[in-house]
Amino acid sequence: MVTFTGLVRDQGGSLRGLEIEHYPGMTERAIAAMVEEAARRFDLVDALVIHRFGPLAPAEPIMMVATAARHRAAAFAAAEFLMDYLKSRAPFWKKEIGEAGATWVAAHEQDEAALGRWG
């Protein structure tokens, strides 16, 4: 079994908070489809994804991925696959609130590149 918990990062030291918005039915279906795809690709015994929404403070947990497989390599790969998909394809909208105001978070090239390795 592999677990990973992501935290709200304060890259520049001025983040006061992060607000995450989503459409509940759409988001739940998208995450369920990601989990089903991971289970199929990596022959998982089980998997769980939890992603928080609403207002979050720096260093608070934002998401958790857990995967279980008969072999550790599959569990690790599935966890990475799910994290890459969450970063780039899960329907969440993130707004960073800092000292200078609020800014919507744009997609990052490195997240798209990470997703590309899964074909």
Side-chain angles (χ1 to χ4, degrees), residues 1 11 20 24 30-31 48 52 58 66 77-79 86 89 98 102 110 115:
M1 178 180 272
Q11 302 280 10
I20 301 175
I31 291 173
L48 174 68
R52 296 179 64 200
L86 282 170
R89 294 293 184 265
Q110 66 267 26
L115 185 62

Side-chain angles (χ1 to χ4, degrees), residues 10 14-20 55-56 58 94-105:
D10 183 3
S14 63
L15 184 70
R16 291 191 176 155
L18 183 67
E19 289 183 13
I20 301 175
L56 299 169
K94 300 173 185 175
K95 186 179 0 174
E96 291 180 340
I97 294 94
E99 295 168 4
T103 307
W104 290 102
V105 177

Side-chain angles (χ1 to χ4, degrees), residues 14-104:
S14 63
L15 184 70
R16 291 191 176 155
L18 183 67
E19 289 183 13
I20 301 175
E21 296 182 12
H22 75 300
Y23 294 110
M26 182 169 105
T27 304
E28 291 158 358
R29 282 189 300 277
I31 291 173
M34 289 177 212
V35 170
E36 287 175 21
E37 176 67 13
R40 184 190 62 74
R41 280 186 184 218
F42 302 100
D43 193 27
L44 296 179
V45 173
D46 206 356
L48 174 68
V49 171
I50 298 171
H51 201 294
R52 296 179 64 200
F53 56 90
L56 299 169
E60 276 194 282
I62 189 171
M63 55 75 72
M64 192 272 305
V65 169
T67 57
R70 289 173 186 81
H71 302 283
R72 71 172 178 237
F76 274 102
E80 286 189 80
F81 171 85
L82 287 167
M83 289 180 284
D84 288 345
Y85 268 82
L86 282 170
K87 284 287 279 186
S88 59
R89 294 293 184 265
F92 290 103
W93 295 270
K94 300 173 185 175
K95 186 179 0 174
E96 291 180 340
I97 294 94
E99 295 168 4
T103 307
W104 290 102

